[in-house]
Amino acid sequence: MSDKEYARNIKQVCELLQSEPTPDVIQRLRDAFDNLSKQLRTGPFLEVFEATISNIPFSALFSLLTAPDNRLIVTVAEVTAQLLRPLNWTMVHETFEEYIIQGLDHPHPVVKSLVLNQFLKCEQKTDPFSSKYGPHIWQCLEGKGDSDTTKLAKKVLEHLCAIDMCLDYLLSEKSMQTIKTLLSGDESQRFRVYDVVVAAIKQSDSVFEFFRQEGVVDLLLKEAETNDVLVAMNFYELIPALCTSSVPFDYLDTAGVFDKALAQIRSAKIEETATSSLTRMSALKLFVRTANAGGISPAKFLEKYAIVPELTELMLLPDPRSDIKTTAIACLGTIGSSSEALEYLGSEKAALEALVSVYNSSLADLRIECLRTISCIFGYSATPSGTASQICYELYTKLDNGKFLVGLTKEIMKGFEESCIAGFSVIQKMALHAWGVHEIASYQNIVNFLLMRDPSRVKTAQQWQFAVIESIVNSPDAKKEFDGETLAQLSRYAREGPYYIGSAPRVALQGST
C-alpha cells in the first residue's frame, strides 16, 4: 500500500464529513472507513495512525457514532478502536472524559464495547478515575441473557473492583441505586451483579460490610429460598467465593446457609428427582469448596458440618453410572487437596476406605474419576511431608490390594487418552513424596515405560509423561533411589523436553509381577 493510497482515503473522509449526510454520502463514508480500517490493520500502522489523527479529529469520529446508520457506526467504531489502541488509560480519561459516559449509554453494543474495553487499561492504584463512570458501567450489566457486552461489562467491573478504591469510585450512592434496580431484574441479570459484588468483597472485609449494610448480601441469601434449580445452583456456586475471609463466612454461617444446604442434601435422599439431584450435587460442591476457601479451618468446617459421611455414603452407591456417585468421588479429591483437610480424612478414615473400595472394584470411567481424586490427594502440596504424606502412603498401599503401580502401568500402556493422562498425573504426584520416588524406582517396568517416547500419543499425555520425569529428576531423593545410569537417562529426557524425537531409548518391558 502506497502513502498516497491511505492519504487519498483520509482526504476523502474529510471531504465527506463536510457534506450533507445524504444516503450516497453515508454509503461513501462507510466505504472510506472500511478502507481506513483495513489500512490501519495492514500498516504501516504508525504512519496511517499519525495521518489519520492529524486530519480526522476524534470529535468527528464520536459524532459519527450517533449516525442513523448501523453499518457506519460499526465501521467507525472499528477505526476508533484501532486509533485508541496505543493510548493508555490516563490519555483516554483526560482527553475523552466527556465522551466516555455517552459511549457507555449508547444503544449500540459495538460502541459500548469500544468504551468498556478502554477501562481494562485502567490501573486504579495509580490512574485517574471519575466516580461519575460507576452507575453507567453498572448499567451495562442490564439484559435478560448474557451477551458479549454484558460479559465485557462484568469483566470490566471485576477488574475495577480489584482494590479498595472501588468503594469510592464504583459504589457511590448513584451506583448503589443502579445496582439495586438491576437486582430487581431476572436471574441472569441478578447473578451478573452478584458475581461482581463477590469479586469486590474478596478484596476486603470493608467492602463486605458495605454491601451488608446496603442489604445486598441479604438479597443474595434470599436466592437460596427459590424452587428454581438453576438459581439454586448459581447461589451455591457463589457462596464459597465469599468465604475467603472469616468475616463473610461467620455472617453466612450465622444466617444458616450451610445448615440449610446440608438439610437439602439429606432430604434429597428421601425423594430424589432429577431436580433434587442437581441441587444436591451443587450443595456438595458448596461444602468442599468452602472447606478450602480460607474463611475457616478446613478441619473445623468438616467437623462442624458432617459432609464427609454424606460423601462416603454416596461414593458407595451401587450404580456405577450414577452422576451423584461420580460427583462425590470428585468432591473427595477437592477436599483432599488441602493438607489440613487430608489429615482430617486420615483420622476419619471411612471416606478414604470408600475410595479404595470403589477403585478396586470399578472399571472404565469410574476408575478414571478415582484416579483423578487420588492425584488430588497425593498432590496436596508441592513439598509434602509429615502426617499427610503418611496418609497418602497408607492409601497407596491399599489400592489394588498393594499392586497399584503394577495395575496403573498396565492401564497407561493401553493408550486410552483419559486413563493415560489420569495415570501419569497420579505418578507425577507420587514423585513429590519420598515414598513415591522409592516405589517408582523399585518397579522397573514403569521406569522403562516412562523413558519410552511415543510421538503418536496425544500432546497432553506426552506433557504429563514429561512432568513425571521432571518431578523425579527434581526430587531430592532421586540420587538415593535410582542408579547412576537410569538417573542420567531421566535427566537427559528432562533436558530434551516432552516432544524430542531423536534417539529415543528402546527398552523392553519385563513381565509384570
Side-chain angles (χ1 to χ4, degrees):
M1 179 184 66
S2 68
D3 287 356
K4 290 181 179 180
E5 185 177 344
Y6 69 72
R8 187 167 55 249
N9 195 51
I10 291 170
K11 182 180 179 182
Q12 183 184 21
V13 169
C14 292
E15 290 172 352
L16 290 168
L17 288 174
Q18 303 300 316
S19 306
E20 289 294 321
T22 63
D24 177 62
V25 168
I26 295 293
Q27 175 65 55
R28 290 166 66 195
L29 269 173
R30 283 204 308 258
D31 294 341
F33 274 106
D34 276 336
N35 289 333
L36 186 54
S37 180
K38 292 173 185 175
Q39 289 159 355
L40 282 163
R41 286 197 302 271
T42 57
F45 175 79
L46 188 58
E47 292 181 22
V48 183
F49 170 82
E50 290 179 344
T52 303
I53 62 172
S54 297
N55 292 277
I56 306 174
F58 273 106
S59 58
L61 294 174
F62 288 130
S63 68
L64 287 173
L65 294 176
T66 61
D69 185 279
N70 279 341
R71 285 178 56 196
L72 179 59
I73 289 173
V74 170
T75 192
V76 171
E78 288 176 356
V79 169
T80 307
Q82 292 181 72
L83 294 175
L84 290 175
R85 184 158 50 92
L87 277 61
N88 60 31
W89 168 254
T90 300
M91 296 169 67
V92 171
H93 168 73
E94 292 178 351
T95 309
F96 308 114
E97 185 174 359
E98 63 180 295
Y99 297 107
I100 288 175
I101 291 175
Q102 294 177 32
L104 291 170
D105 294 342
H106 198 284
H108 202 294
V110 169
V111 180
K112 283 185 187 290
S113 297
L114 166 67
V115 178
L116 285 168
N117 272 307
Q118 303 311 306
F119 285 97
L120 294 176
K121 301 175 180 178
C122 177
E123 294 294 338
Q124 281 197 1
K125 291 180 182 178
T126 54
D127 287 345
F129 204 79
S130 170
S131 60
K132 294 178 182 178
Y133 299 148
H136 303 274
I137 305 175
W138 284 100
Q139 193 63 50
C140 292
L141 294 176
E142 184 180 25
K144 289 187 176 181
D146 284 339
S147 66
D148 290 342
T149 306
T150 57
K151 288 176 184 177
L152 178 57
K154 186 159 80 77
K155 181 179 179 181
V156 166
L157 283 163
E158 289 173 343
H159 168 72
L160 296 175
C161 283
I163 61 171
D164 287 346
M165 291 301 289
C166 72
L167 282 170
D168 299 319
Y169 291 149
L170 297 168
L171 301 176
S172 64
E173 183 178 345
K174 287 188 176 180
S175 285
M176 284 310 306
Q177 290 172 0
T178 303
I179 290 168
K180 289 177 180 178
T181 300
L182 292 169
L183 287 174
S184 65
D186 75 345
E187 65 271 16
S188 177
Q189 180 173 292
R190 294 198 309 273
F191 276 91
R192 278 196 293 275
V193 177
Y194 290 138
D195 282 340
V196 179
V197 168
V198 170
I201 286 173
K202 287 167 67 175
Q203 304 309 315
S204 75
D205 291 340
S206 60
V207 179
F208 172 79
E209 185 59 23
F210 172 83
F211 280 118
R212 187 196 65 77
Q213 291 179 1
E214 290 289 338
V216 174
V217 174
D218 288 340
L219 284 174
L220 171 59
L221 297 187
K222 284 184 180 179
E223 301 286 356
E225 300 171 7
T226 180
N227 292 321
D228 187 323
V229 64
L230 294 178
V231 172
M233 290 171 68
N234 284 330
F235 173 77
Y236 286 139
E237 181 73 20
L238 271 179
I239 292 301
L242 271 175
C243 296
T244 54
S245 158
S246 61
V247 173
F249 173 81
D250 289 343
Y251 186 81
L252 300 180
D253 192 28
T254 302
V257 170
F258 304 106
D259 287 315
K260 292 172 186 174
L262 192 56
Q264 278 194 315
I265 292 171
R266 289 169 174 164
S267 65
K269 292 187 289 186
I270 300 170
E271 187 178 353
E272 183 158 6
T273 63
T275 298
S276 67
S277 180
L278 286 172
T279 303
R280 181 164 57 160
M281 285 192 282
S282 296
L284 287 173
K285 293 174 184 177
L286 159 72
F287 279 98
V288 299
R289 290 174 59 224
T290 302
N292 292 334
I296 187 174
S297 153
K300 289 181 179 178
F301 183 73
L302 296 172
E303 287 169 3
K304 182 170 185 177
Y305 296 104
I307 192 64
V308 174
E310 297 295 330
L311 288 177
T312 303
E313 182 180 336
L314 293 170
M315 288 169 62
L316 294 173
L317 287 173
D319 183 2
R321 294 168 297 179
S322 167
D323 289 339
I324 193 71
K325 181 184 180 88
T326 303
T327 299
I329 293 168
C331 285
L332 184 67
T334 304
I335 291 176
S337 63
S338 156
S339 177
E340 185 182 338
L342 180 56
E343 290 185 23
Y344 172 82
L345 293 175
S347 64
E348 192 270 342
K349 294 189 181 302
L352 293 180
E353 289 173 359
L355 176 63
V356 170
S357 174
V358 175
Y359 180 80
N360 289 350
S361 61
S362 299
L363 300 171
D365 292 346
L366 200 58
R367 198 172 178 91
I368 292 171
E369 196 61 55
C370 288
L371 286 175
R372 290 175 181 144
T373 288
I374 293 164
S375 175
C376 289
I377 292 171
F378 285 178
Y380 72 89
S381 168
T383 55
S385 61
T387 304
S389 187
Q390 180 62 29
I391 292 168
C392 292
Y393 178 66
E394 290 173 2
L395 173 62
Y396 166 80
T397 61
K398 294 174 183 177
L399 293 164
D400 250 355
N401 302 310
K403 295 185 178 181
F404 177 64
L405 200 52
V406 175
L408 190 58
T409 304
K410 291 178 181 178
E411 194 69 34
I412 296 172
M413 288 171 62
K414 291 177 183 177
F416 297 115
E417 181 176 344
E418 287 194 347
S419 58
C420 185
I421 292 169
F424 277 137
S425 173
V426 170
I427 298 172
Q428 189 267 326
K429 300 305 189 299
M430 283 177 59
L432 301 176
H433 300 260
W435 62 261
V437 176
H438 174 77
E439 291 294 321
I440 295 168
S442 300
Y443 184 46
Q444 191 59 45
N445 260 14
I446 190 61
V447 176
N448 290 345
F449 181 69
L450 287 171
L451 288 167
M452 291 178 64
R453 294 181 181 272
D454 184 357
S456 66
R457 190 175 291 139
V458 295
K459 282 197 169 184
T460 306
Q462 292 182 64
Q463 289 165 356
W464 272 108
Q465 182 175 350
F466 174 75
V468 174
I469 300 246
E470 201 170 37
S471 293
I472 292 172
V473 171
N474 291 335
S475 170
D477 299 287
K479 288 184 180 179
K480 178 177 68 175
E481 299 293 348
F482 290 93
D483 63 78
E485 182 181 348
T486 302
L487 188 56
Q489 287 180 301
L490 291 166
S491 299
R492 183 168 62 250
Y493 193 121
R495 289 194 303 272
E496 291 169 347
Y499 311 120
Y500 182 75
I501 56 173
S503 54
R506 302 293 179 187
V507 289
L509 295 180
Q510 300 171 358
S512 298
T513 56

